[in-house]
Amino acid sequence: MFDLSGKVALVTGGSRGIGRAIGEGLARHGARVVLAYANGEAQARDAVRAVEESGGRAEAVQLDVTNSAEVEQRIPEIAKRHGRLDILIANAGISIDGLLIRLRDEDLERILAVNLRGAIASARAAIKPMMRARTGRIVFVSSVVGEMGNAGQTAYAASKAALLGVTKSLAREYASRGITVNAISPGFIDTDMTAVLTEEQKQDISTKIPLGRTGTPAEVAAAAVFLASDEAGYITGQSLRVNGGMYM
Ligand code: NAI
């Protein structure tokens, strides 16, 4: 339904989980996809292979979003190599959970560095080629936790709530340039990030989800494909919740 052919998309943290699924979704709809990975080159190559085997076009690029010099260099390189950069999915993220009284400064710093500063740096580098083209799509991957909070996730929630403010500010700042900026707020999605939870914890979470189950990376990817499409051209500054009704 959505045609992304001719478009170039960059997905940060694209080697696995939600980022990989988004990359696969964008490629299935015709985009040429750059899967950026911080480490885990083998996983990234695997993701590229999967895209290519299903007839899409992808490549892997090493990019640690906490290294702003690297971000400032690599993203324009990608845009230059392909002659354009239409879509940025700022997906890279980490969680380090624990009660506030045990929260270490270095963990707080690390979460903000990846989830917030990394996303802003990625957007800053990607927006320049988009401004020149007077069109573009930026999608930040926030979280239900940024909207409703979660005990044990103060730092993570802060970083994800902040992304919603970033989304709205950039949406206002770049609307006149034809660039839309939105967020996706996934609920509880089955990935390596959530694999650390026990079966009991997962069961408990499922009872709080009206649809009665956790989500899949592909269900988040579907939202990203939509927001990246021409059909979503009148949507900006929004957060699309993909959470099974967990938060409304
Ligand atoms: P994941 O842990 O499988 O994937 C995270 C990705 O980010 C990995 O590819 C990792 O290499 C990358 N990454 C980490 N640090 C990086 C850095 N410094 N530079 C570049 N890339 C880096 O987790 P998942 O679940 O796929 O998460 C993807 C995004 O979705 C994250 O932003 C996460 O916070 C968000 N999210 C996940 C939810 C879930 O239930 N799994 C729920 C809501 C949001």
Side-chain angles (χ1 to χ4, degrees):
M1 178 184 174
F2 304 115
D3 184 10
L4 302 177
S5 42
K7 297 194 191 291
V8 174
L10 169 64
V11 184
T12 67
S15 59
R16 65 181 210 190
I18 292 172
R20 173 176 168 158
I22 291 176
E24 289 173 350
L26 294 169
R28 220 173 14 256
H29 288 79
R32 186 178 182 107
V33 175
V34 181
L35 298 173
Y37 64 92
N39 37 50
E41 186 180 352
Q43 278 183 317
R45 305 247 165 257
D46 216 46
V48 166
R49 231 180 348 264
V51 167
E52 286 172 344
E53 276 166 15
S54 57
R57 290 184 307 165
E59 67 188 60
V61 168
Q62 207 270 333
L63 182 72
D64 178 345
V65 297
T66 63
N67 183 339
S68 23
E70 196 169 284
V71 171
E72 283 297 326
Q73 190 199 336
R74 299 263 155 88
I75 293 184
E77 265 172 21
I78 292 165
K80 197 164 168 214
R81 194 163 63 246
H82 294 287
R84 57 195 300 143
L85 180 57
D86 305 280
I87 300 160
L88 168 70
I89 312 289
N91 162 80
I94 57 164
S95 65
I96 306 169
D97 301 342
L99 301 177
L100 178 68
I101 48 173
R102 299 208 193 95
L103 177 63
R104 301 184 313 166
D105 283 347
E106 55 265 41
D107 292 342
L108 173 60
E109 288 305 325
R110 182 74 196 152
I111 288 177
L112 293 177
V114 178
N115 297 8
L116 179 57
R117 287 210 300 275
I120 292 175
S122 303
R124 186 175 56 199
I127 212 146
K128 289 169 197 154
M130 292 180 185
M131 283 168 69
R132 281 195 293 275
R134 301 196 71 82
T135 179
R137 296 273 185 273
I138 296 178
V139 178
F140 292 103
V141 179
S142 178
S143 168
V144 66
V145 166
E147 298 180 297
M148 62 186 281
N150 194 21
Q153 289 199 302
T154 296
Y156 181 77
S159 70
K160 294 298 184 178
L163 282 183
L164 299 178
V166 171
T167 299
K168 293 174 195 177
S169 299
L170 294 184
R172 291 182 188 279
E173 202 167 304
Y174 294 99
S176 64
R177 308 296 188 113
I179 300 166
T180 68
V181 186
N182 292 291
I184 296 175
S185 295
F188 189 98
I189 310 298
D190 292 315
T191 65
D192 290 340
M193 186 178 271
T194 47
V196 293
L197 298 177
T198 63
E199 243 351 275
E200 199 185 347
Q201 286 171 312
K202 288 186 191 171
Q203 291 281 330
D204 182 51
I205 290 168
S206 291
T207 63
K208 300 186 177 98
I209 302 171
L211 286 179
R213 64 171 178 87
T214 53
T216 65
E219 287 170 323
V220 180
V225 168
F226 169 59
L227 289 174
S229 73
D230 287 346
E231 283 80 355
Y234 199 53
I235 300 174
T236 197
Q238 307 300 316
S239 169
L240 184 45
R241 295 175 179 143
V242 185
N243 65 20
M246 188 177 174
Y247 181 75
M248 301 181 189

